[in-house]
Amino acid sequence: MKKVVIAISLILFYLPVMSWASPITELKNTQYAAIIEKAKSDPANAKKALLANPPANVENDIAAQYYLLLSQLNYTLVYGEEALAAANKGLALITAEKYPKLFHQLNISKSAAYDHTAEPAKGLPLLNNAIDWARKNKDISTEADALYYRGQLYMSLTNYVKALSDLQTVYYLASNNTITLKAEEISSALALVYEYRHEYQLALPYFEESVAYYRRQNQPVDLSISLYGLGKANL
């Protein structure tokens, strides 16, 4: 119950918890598969499990992916500085030339961390670069991830017009392409934008969609957040 109360309180100050999208589901080291699955419902214990299983080689792309996952877990737990530090450790292990996709995925996680260190504007250039690279290379998954978090940063900066534009684009991409990020996961973020704009009737169907999705997925914390938003929009 305490976890649910904390999550509902956080929604007043932070955007929805990190979606477990393509950056971590493409890890080459399968020993982390169970940790990734645990992260969806129990990020604190997932982080403990990850820290107990560091990569054997600390100077390769597998290690960089390890730090990507650690960064995302810290973001989900609202440890902004730790999320930022982990992303930077991963970036120090690779180059954009040799591992461009992983490089941009780490920068996406880094930009998200800036949201939790109250410096959202710092993340925008990183996301802009990731979006440009993804579009040039027709990488829809990375484009969707970067647009999603840019939309979140714009929300933190109270630029709801740009936030809405980015999140609507992500919703379209997720609805019309086979990527890990699901349209229903975007619904709660879209609903929040409409709620912040006091457009409650427009928020309602997106909250309803996210409630149905998280109920099917048996994700009680995300479900509670969406139910809270749905109830508020109905007032």
Side-chain angles (χ1 to χ4, degrees), residues 145-184:
D145 292 335
L147 283 167
Y148 178 63
Y149 293 111
R150 192 172 72 175
Q152 292 199 38
L153 295 188
Y154 278 138
M155 262 203 274
S156 292
L157 293 165
T158 67
N159 190 333
Y160 301 132
V161 173
K162 288 187 175 181
L164 186 60
S165 176
D166 278 352
L167 292 171
Q168 285 176 330
T169 301
V170 179
Y171 189 87
Y172 173 83
L173 290 174
S175 299
N176 293 278
N177 295 276
T178 304
I179 57 177
T180 307
L181 192 59
K182 306 300 181 186
E184 295 90 343

Side-chain angles (χ1 to χ4, degrees), residues 69-112:
L69 177 52
L70 181 59
S71 178
Q72 294 189 333
L73 283 167
N74 280 321
Y75 173 87
T76 302
L77 293 165
V78 201
Y79 299 150
E81 294 293 345
E82 292 182 32
L84 192 60
N88 281 330
K89 285 182 179 179
L91 285 165
L93 298 174
I94 61 170
T95 64
E97 291 74 25
K98 190 171 183 179
Y99 299 105
K101 183 180 180 73
L102 180 56
F103 173 82
H104 287 295
Q105 289 170 340
L106 280 159
N107 271 328
I108 290 170
S109 193
K110 181 177 179 176
S111 70

